[in-house]
């Protein structure tokens, strides 16, 4: 066991639960994708807009609601005749964005580029060539709420190249709620009017939250009932149904269960985990019991290096809990 790392860096509960992978890691992992009806509907809107071949397509949603997951599913289901350019960092000047598009489409250009016109001309030439070969080009811009208005206008101008029936370049804008506010401005009306398909992704419901948690537990090889119904209720209440927050809270729940030496997460553990994650520590205490237990766990490892036997006959988690009580004065019993 590694000592001195934060619990989020080294999930000490893996061996305790007999699993190899964290069920609630926040990095996107296709194995754990859980498409609710909302996510399927969002994906359907994007695919419809792309197949329709006209204008902009937009996906918005609050932070952590699963926009990246939908985008990955979109890329997996993209028709074979579509070439994709992906911009993940839109905090660029219009010249830099044009260069990114050229890089993504493997369009050669001088280094450094001489002018916007030169880049635009080269992109347009590529679009015409792709169209002549029966292919279409889609540009996906993630975190589009960070686009400067001048850059967004340059993106719009790129879509002016068209045939009698279709745009040669389609734009998919993916962003947070602020993107809706930007597009509502008077000066952005030309972009807003070109959006032919849009979807706003909402957080999960309580039932969807339970299904989401069970799905990730099953994929990781854990019993789906590891989180008791009362715990799921607490997690939904604390997270508001936002998948990213659900992941962080559930990960901390498993850590709390490990610290207590129990294999099921109850409402008390869930409440303590939510306080840790959201910083809502009751009573003005600087650290909750879960933090005390983690400090005790580190101390327990050091003691284990000196003691070759277990005279108390306790399992690892129980032993750590006892050491924690001795060192921190934390009382035994459920997490409050």
């Amino acid at each position: 066991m590694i000592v001195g790392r934060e619990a989020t860096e080294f999930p000490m509960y893996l061996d305790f639960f007999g699993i190899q992978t964290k069920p609630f890691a926040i990095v996107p992992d296709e194995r754990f994708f859980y498409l609710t009806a909302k996510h399927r509907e969002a994906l359907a809107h994007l695919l419809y807009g792309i197949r329709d071949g006209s204008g902009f397509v937009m996906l918005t949603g609050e932070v952590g609601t699963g926009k990246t997951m939908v985008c990955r599913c979109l890329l997996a289901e993209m028709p074979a005749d579509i070439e994709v350019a992906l911009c993940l960092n839109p905090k660029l000047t219009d010249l830099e964005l044009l260069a990114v598009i050229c890089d993504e489409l493997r369009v050669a250009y001088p280094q450094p580029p001489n002018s916007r016109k030169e880049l635009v001309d080269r992109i347009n030439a590529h679009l015409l060539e792709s169209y002549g070969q029966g292919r279409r080009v889609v540009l996906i811009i993630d975190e589009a709420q960070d686009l400067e208005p001048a850059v967004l206008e340059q993106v719009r101008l790129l879509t002016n190249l068209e045939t009698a029936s279709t745009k040669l370049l389609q734009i998919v804008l993916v962003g947070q709620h602020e993107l809706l506010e930007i597009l509502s401005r008077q000066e952005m009306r030309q972009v807003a009017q070109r959006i032919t398909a849009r979807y706003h992704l909402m957080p999960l419901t309580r039932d969807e939250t339970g299904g989401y948690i069970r799905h990730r537990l099953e994929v990781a090889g854990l019993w789906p009932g590891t989180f008791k119904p009362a715990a799921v209720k607490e997690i939904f209440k604390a997270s508001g149904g936002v998948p990213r927050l659900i992941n962080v809270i559930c990960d901390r729940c498993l850590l709390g269960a490990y610290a207590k030496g129990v294999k099921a997460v109850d409402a008390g553990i869930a409440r303590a985990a939510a306080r840790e994650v959201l910083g809502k520590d009751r009573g003005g205490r600087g650290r909750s019991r879960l933090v005390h237990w983690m400090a005790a766990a580190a101390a327990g490892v050091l003691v284990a290096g000196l003691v070759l036997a277990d005279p108390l006959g306790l399992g690892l988690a129980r032993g750590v809990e006892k050491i924690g009580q001795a060192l921190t004065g934390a009382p035994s019993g459920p997490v409050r």
Side-chain angles (χ1 to χ4, degrees), residues 143-215:
E143 303 295 345
Q145 76 280 349
D146 291 332
L147 285 170
E148 293 293 334
V151 180
L152 191 52
E153 175 63 13
Q154 179 63 73
V155 171
R156 181 189 70 80
L157 293 174
L158 287 176
T159 66
N160 284 344
L161 190 62
E162 58 190 0
T163 68
S165 60
T166 186
K167 297 283 188 182
L168 297 190
L169 177 67
Q170 272 197 287
I171 310 292
V172 178
L173 299 176
V174 181
Q176 297 169 20
H177 186 271
E178 291 81 359
L179 180 58
L180 297 174
E181 300 173 2
I182 293 171
L183 292 176
S184 68
R185 298 173 187 170
Q186 179 70 10
E187 65 271 21
M188 290 289 101
R189 65 189 183 280
Q190 292 196 69
V191 175
Q193 290 171 2
R194 284 167 168 76
I195 298 174
T196 58
R198 64 180 72 202
Y199 192 88
H200 187 73
L201 199 56
M202 299 297 291
L204 305 184
T205 65
R206 178 175 168 181
D207 288 343
E208 288 171 338
T209 298
Y212 178 86
I213 292 173
R214 288 191 298 272
H215 171 76

